[in-house]
Amino acid sequence: MSAVRVRFAPSPTGPLHIGGLRTALFNYLFAKKNNGTFVLRIEETDQNRYVEGAEDYIKEALDWLGLTPDEGPDQGGDYGPYRQSERKGQYAKYAHELVEKGHAYYAFDTSEELFKMRTDQEALGHHSAKYDHRTRSLMRNSLTLSPEESKTLIDKNENVIIRLKMPIDEVVTFTDLVRENVSFNTDELDDKVILKNDGMPTYHLANIVDDHLMEITHVIRGEEWLSSTAHHVLMYRFLGWEAPKYTHLPLILKPSGKGKLSKRDGAKFGFPVFPLEWQQEEETYAGFREHGYNPNALLNFLVLLGWNPGNDEEVMTVERMIEMFSLKKIVKSGAKFDIDKAKWFNQTYIHKQSVEELIPIAKQVLAENNITVDDAFLAEYVTLMQDRITLYPDFYAEGKYLFNAPTDYDQKQVKKRYTSELDPHFDAIKSIISDGNDATVLTDKVKTYLNDNELKMGVYLPLLRIMMCGSLTGPDLFEIIALLGVEESNQRMDTALAAFKSLG
């Protein structure tokens, strides 16, 4: 068997969807598992749909996730160029070769003629009207016109495109490593355009030419390309080339399980479906990075969308994914997108990170909220908050009361517990805090005081927490007090007691 070579071949027509990202991941894992080569090829032959900045977005997303290509536009390699627009000159000769062999033909139809054909076919009850063996005889092409007429139109370059000529009533069978044997009858397939009138190839021609010339051994791509694979297999046969092995990945489904996940689902339900934030005109699409996801957590979440390691293992490093990865373990059925599961993975990864790794992340999050603290405080803060963080922005959202004293208090809980008769005991607690701010010592001294004076911890400790945080949420109370320090903690107690009296 020749050395494994796989490619991730996105089109720069917009942001990289989470489904495309999973395709890149599976190609990367398969390459690394087999000591092979992971190629990035930019397929931008459709210049009408090309979006400025999309290629850079794709490369930045792969870089953020550590899916570094071995060959690509930036890395170079022996099989370049790695942008299809830079390979334009090589496609036409293969399209013309197919014409010469009788497997393709020139088509001269205008857009108006194509529209009329489809309209007429629909009027006859052919709801899937298409350019195929039934309708090609009704159109203007080199199969219906004389050689002289065709040559005249070709010389004028009048709407000249090349279409693949599908055989009549032939069963095309190929092996998909997930779906095993897949068959299509050619009567169900249209005569695809393979070369446009601007000289640019369509995906169908460009991808097989490039895969052949780049010696791609395995094509791992989305399920949406399954129905086109029969065309590709035929072109390999017509050109006398060996086809790569195919694997088509299952769809990523909406959270409901009904239908393919779309960018609008993200906007509708408030979760990202793109790796990085993307802005286009007046629209902004959320990204996993900006939402605060660890890139390795996202990869871990993605790898289990349509792939099963064969055991109960869920949390795994990229190295472990590579070790266990097999195309045979990819499932056929679609995988539901569960954002809560993605958050669970992220929380798990954050809990496993070292404080040193988290400090610069927390520092950036706080800076974005106009908060600056010294490194010593930040290290203690990260240690205190780490187990409460699900997404990186939570470093502010979950602990903002530690940087700005609360001005609102949980009135229901205050009214339930507070009376002015408690004040002398809170004064005593202030004195205990003033003696030192070690959390363990504070815990012991305050609880001892409450026990010695037969006071209810279920009254005093919740109120003390509300004084510090504004509510009953947060990490260990005495860790909070120790982090805030004596002066700030006592100031918060004074301010809160004054506010409690006004609520009474």
Side-chain angles (χ1 to χ4, degrees), residues 14 21 46 217 242 258 273 318-319 331 375 393 401 426-427 431 475 501:
L21 196 60
D46 190 346
T217 60
E242 181 181 354
K258 298 178 180 179
V273 295
V318 174
E319 290 73 22
V331 299
D375 289 345
Y401 52 82
F426 278 117
D427 288 338
S431 297
K501 288 180 173 59

Side-chain angles (χ1 to χ4, degrees), residues 201 425 439 460:
H425 297 295
Y460 286 87

Side-chain angles (χ1 to χ4, degrees), residues 42-58:
I42 302 298
E43 299 194 342
E44 82 299 37
T45 55
D46 190 346
Q47 291 296 302
N48 292 326
R49 297 180 62 217
Y50 178 81
V51 174
E52 191 70 33
E55 179 183 331
D56 289 338
Y57 177 98
I58 291 166

